[in-house]
Amino acid sequence: MSLYVTELRRLAKRRLTRIMLVLLVLGLAGVATALAFSSQQRSPAVVAQAQADADAQYRQAAKDWEKMVAECDAAQARGEQTEERYGPNCGRDWQPQPDMFDPEWSLPYEFNFRGEFEMIVAVFAGAVALFGFVVGASFVGAEWSTGGMMNLLLWRPRRLAVLGTKLAALLSLLAGVTVLLGALWTAAFWLIASTRGSTEKVTAGVWQSVGLGGLRALALILVAGAVAFALASLGRHTAMALGVAVGIGVISEIGIRIGTAIAGVSFGDRYVLSTYAMAWFEKQHKLLDYEACNLVQGACEPAEMIITWQQSGLLFGIGSALILFAAFWIMRRRDVA
Amino acid sequence: MSAVLEIEGLRKTYKSRRRGVRNALDGFDMRVETGQVHGFLGPNGSGKTTTLRTLLGLIRPDGGRMAILGHEVPAALPTVAGQIGAIVESPQFFPHFTARDTLSLLANAGQVPATRVDEVLELVGLRDRAGDRVKTYSLGMKQRLAVASALLKNPKLLILDEPANGLDPGGIREMRSLMRDLAESGMTVVVSSHILGEIQLICDSVTIISLGRRVAFGPVDEVLAAHSHGTVRVRLDAAEDLAAAAEVLSRNGVPVARHPDHLLLNGVEKPAMVNRLLAEHHLYASELAPVSVDLESVFLELTNTAPVPGQHRQVDESVRIGGAEQSGRAGGGWGA
């Protein structure tokens, strides 16, 4: 227990942890502030103004259309060719209709808690996962590269217990930060929705869905932290984890996409990691196979493939378990030199 | 006297595709008695640090037996770790923490009372700089901090690898005094150092390692005596008689080296015999003195690392005992 508390203290005292936490809070606050400023509640007056704007646009369009038809008729009377300029039948077939001018287009953006908070949770999870990755990698990587790990092992010569305790401390901190900031994040967006957006139809079911989304976010953040920790411990340097992250980013997100596109592989995105991250948050992610379409012959209904959050969970779970196992195995076997 | 530290036949082999198989430790033995200050000496790459790291569980040995305070290690290391204070090689600490933070975290991890932090800071002379970040410390101050961390546990066995690194002359003297005080208080100190004059001054016993094997061990006086070779310096009343004296001694089987104003004799067990021989030939000695050796000359002789003009010795070139080859790159420890 004392080692666990010590490692929590060590992690909290680290400069990088503090700097990253400040950046994370500032970043999240920036997103919330930007969204609060861009959102405007649709009061009856605003809706009426939008309707009036839409009506005015319709009237203006109808007036322009009548003028155009009249000009066309006059041109035809002069024996001029009009089809190229006004279209067939002097454009009479294109008479503007009131339903073509949706008042929605004139309405300001309004944040809708029910419809949009799930995406907002994904943004939060991405930011905190990045924080967890960097802090997790540095926590053990810097310990290895500065000799701190060796010092600690002189005091606590149980390697697996030391590494496990460090990991537990990291995951506890990440869970704590996620829960605390997640609560603030939810409260902030509820406040934004209440004062500058919409909280309509937020039922108990919606809150349940938000809760489950939060749990999925927490799981992703913990996995990001644990994987970074394990990679940095394997390479005994922070750069190992960061290098792998950049490598996977380049290979998975760019290389595989280009490669599968060139090779004409169906559903190439099923080999890209971000597809599974999206499926994890969206519960399921639909891939469309446009490779099978022959658009020259007209419209095409592309084949579909559904990636579910369960498949994502399996992939991320097995992947992170393997990396963690390797880190602990190497910790047990390899000399500390 | 009971042994605090025992090593028998310790082996550590490193395998590398490029360098092949190299024995960093090749059946190394060591024994340190309770309450001693024990010097652990060896040239660069001889296996000192590998030995200490293996002893402390940082490196897995390939063979041999080790015991600390009567417990077999590394199996019993978790049991005895609380009684061992150690610094291995250069001091390494997290640069952005203060000395107090560093020691406080270690004390917490080792369940040492927080009051001990201030005690050791005072002991190593870092009290007034305890709140500074370690990255602002000089090498000598980091060394003091390392010693402080090793002393935190108030250990029964203190292992210091190059504790005088980076210390100023005053610091070296303080370190010497500290080690003696600790030994007098009952603590056993194992100190590895290349400052052989210091080792000769403060150590009760020494172990010398070369190419992963022990080449000498025992109380300092005995090691020095064993390698003095009975060298005796002879001066005569009349310097012109030196040639005659050299001839007389040589005829009687005494190896003689001539110098302008004296002779150096080797392998003399009884200097009185020299005096009698000379007197029989009417040659009278004005000085007949045994030449004492120091630890540095013994070390250089045993490890075959004395500099030779015009040659550049490589780190793996050292003596191998028990074989025909007296020097060469026979497979010494690059792991040390």
Side-chain angles (χ1 to χ4, degrees):
Chain A
M1 188 60 189
S2 67
L3 183 60
Y4 171 75
V5 174
T6 304
E7 289 309 313
L8 263 183
R9 266 189 70 204
R10 189 195 306 276
L11 182 56
K13 268 182 168 293
R14 298 198 67 232
R15 198 172 61 154
L16 186 85
T17 308
R18 292 175 177 184
I19 290 173
M20 287 297 293
L21 190 59
V22 168
L23 289 177
L24 175 68
V25 169
L26 287 177
L28 292 176
V31 171
T33 307
L35 197 133
F37 274 111
S38 64
S39 177
Q40 189 182 333
Q41 211 157 36
R42 293 175 180 179
S43 63
V46 171
V47 173
Q49 181 60 48
Q51 185 63 56
D53 288 348
D55 291 345
Q57 285 165 9
Y58 165 68
R59 283 193 300 274
Q60 183 62 43
K63 198 172 154 188
D64 292 344
W65 173 78
E66 283 168 6
K67 187 180 168 194
M68 182 194 74
V69 171
E71 282 173 4
C72 180
D73 287 342
Q76 279 183 348
R78 290 193 298 272
E80 293 172 10
Q81 173 57 259
T82 59
E83 192 159 330
E84 191 175 322
R85 185 176 175 190
Y86 297 98
N89 199 21
C90 281
R92 283 189 172 79
D93 301 338
W94 301 333
Q95 182 179 9
Q97 302 299 319
D99 62 358
M100 290 176 176
F101 298 86
D102 192 343
E104 182 76 24
W105 300 343
S106 303
L107 283 172
Y109 166 70
E110 180 187 49
F111 172 62
N112 184 294
F113 193 90
R114 177 194 166 101
E116 295 175 74
F117 190 63
E118 201 170 319
M119 185 268 291
I120 297 289
V121 169
V123 170
F124 170 81
V128 184
L130 181 65
F131 165 82
F133 193 91
V134 173
V135 169
S138 164
F139 180 43
V140 72
E143 288 282 304
W144 275 116
S145 54
T146 61
M149 182 66 89
M150 189 179 79
N151 268 347
L152 190 55
L153 289 173
L154 293 179
W155 282 70
R156 292 284 190 132
R158 292 184 193 275
R159 295 185 184 192
L160 296 188
V162 166
L163 194 67
T165 307
K166 276 187 172 291
L167 178 61
L170 170 72
L171 296 183
S172 304
L173 181 106
L174 287 181
V177 166
T178 305
V179 169
L180 182 67
L181 290 183
L184 290 173
W185 187 249
T186 308
F189 279 91
W190 180 256
L191 189 68
I192 291 168
S194 302
T195 56
R196 300 181 66 88
S198 166
T199 55
E200 277 178 9
K201 297 177 188 168
V202 180
T203 59
V206 171
W207 280 115
Q208 189 182 19
S209 179
V210 166
L212 290 173
L215 283 178
R216 285 199 301 274
L218 176 62
L220 187 82
I221 290 160
L222 295 182
V223 162
V227 165
F229 179 93
L231 288 172
S233 185
L234 273 172
R236 298 190 173 180
H237 207 287
T238 309
M240 169 76 172
L242 303 183
V244 168
V246 171
I248 284 181
V250 171
I251 293 169
S252 172
E253 304 307 316
I254 301 172
I256 291 180
R257 282 215 166 94
I258 293 173
T260 53
I262 291 170
V265 176
S266 298
F267 304 111
D269 278 7
R270 70 182 141 160
Y271 302 110
V272 176
L273 270 181
S274 60
T275 301
Y276 292 86
M278 282 189 281
W280 179 251
F281 277 110
E282 296 166 3
K283 299 189 200 96
Q284 61 175 38
H285 185 69
K286 189 190 289 182
L287 298 179
L288 301 173
D289 182 21
Y290 286 104
E291 295 284 337
C293 280
N294 185 350
L295 295 171
V296 178
Q297 292 177 353
C300 169
E301 282 293 323
E304 290 180 4
M305 174 185 263
I306 303 293
I307 306 287
T308 64
W309 70 272
Q310 289 94 335
Q311 288 172 312
S312 299
L314 198 65
L315 178 78
F316 290 136
I318 291 175
S320 47
L322 283 176
I323 295 170
L324 277 170
F325 177 78
F328 277 84
W329 175 257
I330 292 294
M331 178 70 174
R332 188 168 174 269
R333 302 289 306 173
R334 198 167 143 198
D335 288 340
V336 181
Chain B
M1 205 180 274
S2 63
V4 168
L5 192 165
E6 290 173 280
I7 297 175
E8 288 172 9
L10 190 62
R11 310 186 77 85
K12 178 65 188 177
T13 302
Y14 289 104
K15 291 169 185 162
S16 149
R17 275 186 193 167
R18 199 159 60 85
R19 297 181 168 189
V21 176
R22 314 198 80 193
N23 297 318
L25 294 172
D26 193 9
F28 177 70
D29 301 311
M30 187 172 178
R31 183 182 169 89
V32 179
E33 309 289 352
T34 308
Q36 284 191 338
V37 179
H38 186 92
F40 185 28
L41 315 176
N44 294 335
S46 60
K48 290 191 304 297
T49 303
T50 303
T51 303
L52 298 182
R53 283 176 190 260
T54 308
L55 194 64
L56 296 166
L58 300 174
I59 291 178
R60 187 185 296 267
D62 295 318
R65 174 187 164 266
M66 298 178 288
I68 296 178
L69 298 163
H71 297 270
E72 297 290 317
V73 293
L77 212 44
T79 311
V80 293
Q83 299 171 71
I84 308 167
I87 55 170
V88 183
E89 235 170 24
S90 54
Q92 294 176 320
F93 296 102
F94 202 67
H96 298 296
F97 286 175
T98 65
R100 190 184 301 284
D101 285 342
T102 303
L103 295 180
S104 164
L105 287 168
L106 282 174
N108 280 3
Q111 291 167 309
V112 170
T115 51
R116 182 72 184 146
V117 171
D118 286 325
E119 286 173 21
V120 294
L121 283 168
E122 174 77 33
L123 207 59
V124 300
L126 283 178
R127 182 193 57 206
D128 298 336
R129 297 288 302 272
D132 293 359
R133 287 183 178 177
V134 173
K135 72 173 184 179
T136 65
Y137 279 18
S138 67
L139 179 60
M141 289 166 71
K142 286 179 187 166
Q143 196 69 45
R144 288 167 189 260
L145 179 58
V147 174
S149 73
L151 289 172
L152 258 184
K153 287 184 265 189
N154 201 9
K156 287 184 178 169
L157 172 62
L158 181 65
I159 297 174
L160 303 173
D161 193 4
E162 300 289 352
N165 255 2
L167 292 184
D168 52 30
I172 292 175
R173 183 170 284 191
E174 283 166 19
M175 187 66 68
R176 184 200 307 160
S177 160
L178 177 66
M179 280 191 263
R180 282 260 56 113
D181 292 347
L182 292 171
E184 278 167 18
S185 73
M187 196 180 289
T188 305
V189 182
V190 174
V191 55
S192 153
S193 175
H194 290 299
I195 307 177
L196 299 179
E198 283 297 313
I199 293 287
Q200 192 170 341
L201 275 175
I202 61 173
C203 289
D204 303 300
S205 58
V206 291
T207 295
I208 301 179
I209 183 174
S210 181
L211 294 176
R213 286 188 186 183
R214 184 172 69 179
V215 291
F217 69 101
V220 174
D221 293 344
E222 287 181 18
V223 170
L224 293 177
H227 295 87
S228 67
H229 304 304
T231 305
V232 173
R233 184 172 52 242
V234 178
R235 291 183 205 274
L236 300 182
D237 270 347
E240 57 271 21
D241 292 340
L242 281 174
E247 193 185 332
V248 167
L249 292 167
S250 295
R251 258 202 325 266
N252 284 277
V254 180
V256 181
R258 279 194 65 174
H259 293 266
D261 61 343
H262 68 276
L263 302 176
L264 274 182
L265 316 182
N266 271 321
V268 176
E269 285 182 16
K270 293 179 181 172
M273 179 271 290
V274 173
N275 207 15
R276 185 168 55 79
L277 269 175
L278 293 175
E280 282 172 1
H281 294 82
H282 308 290
L283 298 165
Y284 302 102
S286 63
E287 181 186 332
L288 187 64
V291 176
S292 59
V293 292
D294 60 12
L295 197 54
E296 183 176 283
S297 56
V298 172
F299 175 88
L300 294 174
E301 180 198 328
L302 282 172
T303 57
N304 199 22
T305 51
V308 177
Q311 289 186 22
H312 302 283
R313 184 180 63 84
Q314 304 302 301
V315 286
D316 288 343
E317 288 178 355
S318 193
V319 72
R320 171 173 289 289
I321 58 160
E325 213 177 335
Q326 278 300 296
S327 69
R329 305 179 57 123
W334 47 267

